[in-house]
Amino acid sequence: MEMAAKKVFKEKTNKALGVNPDDARLTLTYFSLAFIILFIGGTLGLLQGLNRAGLLELPAWFNYYQVLTAHGILLILIFTALFMVGYFYAALSHTLGGLIPVVRKMGWTALGLMLIGTAFVVTTIVMDEATVLYTFYPPMQASPWFYIGLVFIVLGVWAATIGVFTSAASWKKRNKGEHLPLLAFFAVGAFLLLFFGSIGVTIEVLTLIPWAFGWTETVNVMLSRTLFWSFGHTLVNVWYFTAISAWYVIVPRIIGGRLFSDTLTRVVVVLLVILNVPGGFHHQIIDPGFTEGLKFMHVFMSLSIAFPSLMTAFAMFAVFERTGRKKGAKGLFGWVKKLPWGDVRFLAPMIAMIAFIPAGAGGIAQTNNQLNQVVHNTLWVTGHFHLTVGTTVVLTFFGIMYWLIPYLSKRELTPKINKLGIIQTITWAVGMLFMSGAMHWVGLLGSPRRTSYTTYGDNATALSWDPYLFFLAIGGTLLFIGGGLMIYIVFHLMFKAPKGDTAFPIAEPEDGASPTPKWTERWGLWVVLAIAVISMGYLVPIVDLIFNAPPGSPPFRTW
């Protein structure tokens, strides 16, 4: 009894006084490395944008396609993974009363594995042995050490996943009958989805390693693409998952409001886990080898992902209006004036939410067969990606930094840094507006993605793209400036800001809110349903691609 009482007291003390120093060190290490990666990836993005606009000629020893590969891997895979693990481990530490030692060890183990994998991947790209872009589609063949590096990265993600599940299970064992705190519930859902999504790409990579070593002569290209996209689009939604956890739980507290609905929030988490993985199939909507009926089914499976997103939009804007009216707002849109636009902790995620409106609409357009034919393999797709990930996800990540780093480092967000943060947020948003807007428009005009600058022999159509590509370069330059400001702010908040106590802002439910049903915690049922939906989407095409395999392809090196 005495031991149990001490544990409860320690948990309450951690919640009241702040994070465990060992846990803070773990998360701050993740964030430090994440933003170093952001600086490198952002620099590569600037070079890429200037080259695509015809304003910069890259040297032969580090060409456009090497830059494009490194930019994609570092920002899409490494930066986001490091941030996600650091953020959710901090959330688990705060809401569950500190990380147990074995979970903290899993966090450090995950970091080590991811860094080893990153070293392999980056080295092979720099040596021009892996210029296969972020999707690493066969039959283009990279060095086997590139694929081995990817294995280490996945092992790191799985180690972090085990840590999250262990932490949640340990808390549930100590608190029988209680609901897992909402941020921890988000963590379980996000890492469960990440685990499901990573299974396919892991199988793919394990088939590519013997092929890259020359132990097997050919590879099943269509099977590899299908396994990749079971992961590729799911990964995007894992980042979105991470972002909306802050929208639901943190943002309402920052604006002085309350949680919209604990039950609705948990239902959104469950739906995202169940529905997401088959959504990746719409990336293959023009691929041969699949029946029209199968593609038609996947259109509906992909569109189903929009349902929890629409629930999120309703919930968030309901919170904004409800909070504004409590502060005395009048009229139809009077509540907008009551929102704290001068607080960067709100401004950054709010712009991220607004950006997701056109971003989500663009995703729905790409899911549709006929519309996909128009934009597939054009810069429209790249513009969509930068709007979803580069704006919605990354701006939310930035917004989190303004309160989480001061909380972890026991420092304060000063008015000066808040003002600089607002400048940073606006610079980033405007830069992305220029770049993503130009990409969308010139994509509709037919400009292809994944190509360096060319006029195709001064073809009139290609020359007409140049003004839009110039705006792309302007946007990329503004993004580089905004990224540089963010990196300065992050490390300033870690080491230079005044000492002080910063709260971990978690929204409370409304007074008199309905109790959350117990069935939301039935993860065994949700896992079974997720497996069933994934099987509906992928069992038929994968079995068909294996038993009716097209002729395998030998490796090609196009660089």
Side-chain angles (χ1 to χ4, degrees), residues 328-352:
K330 304 293 183 184
L332 189 60
F333 295 109
W335 53 272
V336 175
K337 297 178 183 178
K338 299 293 183 179
L339 296 175
W341 298 100
D343 187 340
V344 70
R345 300 173 304 163
F346 164 75
L347 180 67
M350 183 62 177
I351 293 176

Side-chain angles (χ1 to χ4, degrees), residues 351-428:
I351 293 176
M353 292 181 213
I354 293 169
F356 194 66
I357 298 170
I364 291 172
Q366 286 163 217
T367 303
N368 179 285
N369 184 48
Q370 287 83 357
L371 295 177
N372 189 288
Q373 306 295 321
V374 178
V375 300
H376 197 87
N377 275 339
T378 72
L379 269 174
W380 162 286
V381 177
T382 315
H384 166 73
F385 199 68
H386 281 83
L387 200 55
T388 51
V389 179
T391 312
T392 296
V393 170
V394 171
L395 267 183
T396 303
F397 287 4
F398 289 173
I400 290 168
M401 292 293 88
Y402 289 105
W403 57 264
L404 184 51
I405 290 183
Y407 165 78
L408 294 169
S409 59
K410 296 186 179 298
R411 296 180 185 272
E412 292 181 348
L413 175 66
T414 61
K416 182 179 178 181
I417 293 298
N418 180 72
K419 186 175 181 180
L420 184 61
I422 290 172
I423 295 170
Q424 184 277 328
T425 300
I426 293 171
T427 302
W428 186 274

Side-chain angles (χ1 to χ4, degrees), residues 157-407:
V157 167
W158 286 357
T161 302
I162 293 169
V164 169
F165 294 166
T166 302
S167 186
S170 173
W171 187 90
K172 290 288 286 184
K173 189 176 180 180
R174 299 194 309 269
N175 299 270
K176 291 188 182 297
E178 292 188 34
H179 285 287
L180 197 65
L182 196 50
L183 266 183
F185 193 84
F186 264 105
V188 171
F191 278 91
L192 189 59
L193 181 60
L194 183 58
F195 174 74
F196 279 142
S198 63
I199 292 172
V201 75
T202 304
I203 295 170
E204 179 201 5
V205 169
L206 292 178
T207 64
L208 295 180
I209 289 172
W211 177 67
F213 272 118
W215 302 336
T216 55
E217 293 183 3
T218 62
V219 68
N220 187 330
V221 173
M222 284 303 302
L223 178 62
S224 294
R225 285 171 63 93
T226 304
L227 290 171
F228 175 85
W229 281 118
S230 70
F231 161 79
H233 195 84
T234 303
L235 187 62
V236 176
N237 284 285
V238 168
W239 310 323
Y240 169 68
F241 216 129
T242 308
I244 68 167
S245 71
W247 297 359
Y248 274 106
V249 184
I250 308 301
V251 172
R253 180 63 177 267
I254 287 172
I255 67 174
R258 297 290 188 96
L259 190 68
F260 176 74
S261 165
D262 188 87
T263 302
L264 178 139
T265 306
R266 291 174 194 262
V267 168
V268 167
V269 170
V270 170
L271 287 176
L272 286 171
V273 171
I274 293 172
L275 299 174
N276 249 300
V277 176
F281 203 92
H282 72 255
H283 288 263
Q284 296 178 266
I285 209 162
I286 68 166
D287 279 6
F290 303 110
T291 65
E292 288 184 3
L294 186 66
K295 291 180 180 180
F296 191 69
M297 179 183 75
H298 272 273
V299 166
F300 284 98
M301 298 184 89
S302 297
L303 288 173
S304 70
I305 301 171
F307 183 59
S309 295
L310 292 171
M311 293 170 68
T312 298
F314 172 79
M316 291 314 304
F317 281 92
V319 167
F320 297 151
E321 181 173 8
R322 183 185 289 173
T323 304
R325 301 226 179 269
K326 285 181 180 177
K327 294 180 178 180
K330 304 293 183 184
L332 189 60
F333 295 109
W335 53 272
V336 175
K337 297 178 183 178
K338 299 293 183 179
L339 296 175
W341 298 100
D343 187 340
V344 70
R345 300 173 304 163
F346 164 75
L347 180 67
M350 183 62 177
I351 293 176
M353 292 181 213
I354 293 169
F356 194 66
I357 298 170
I364 291 172
Q366 286 163 217
T367 303
N368 179 285
N369 184 48
Q370 287 83 357
L371 295 177
N372 189 288
Q373 306 295 321
V374 178
V375 300
H376 197 87
N377 275 339
T378 72
L379 269 174
W380 162 286
V381 177
T382 315
H384 166 73
F385 199 68
H386 281 83
L387 200 55
T388 51
V389 179
T391 312
T392 296
V393 170
V394 171
L395 267 183
T396 303
F397 287 4
F398 289 173
I400 290 168
M401 292 293 88
Y402 289 105
W403 57 264
L404 184 51
I405 290 183
Y407 165 78

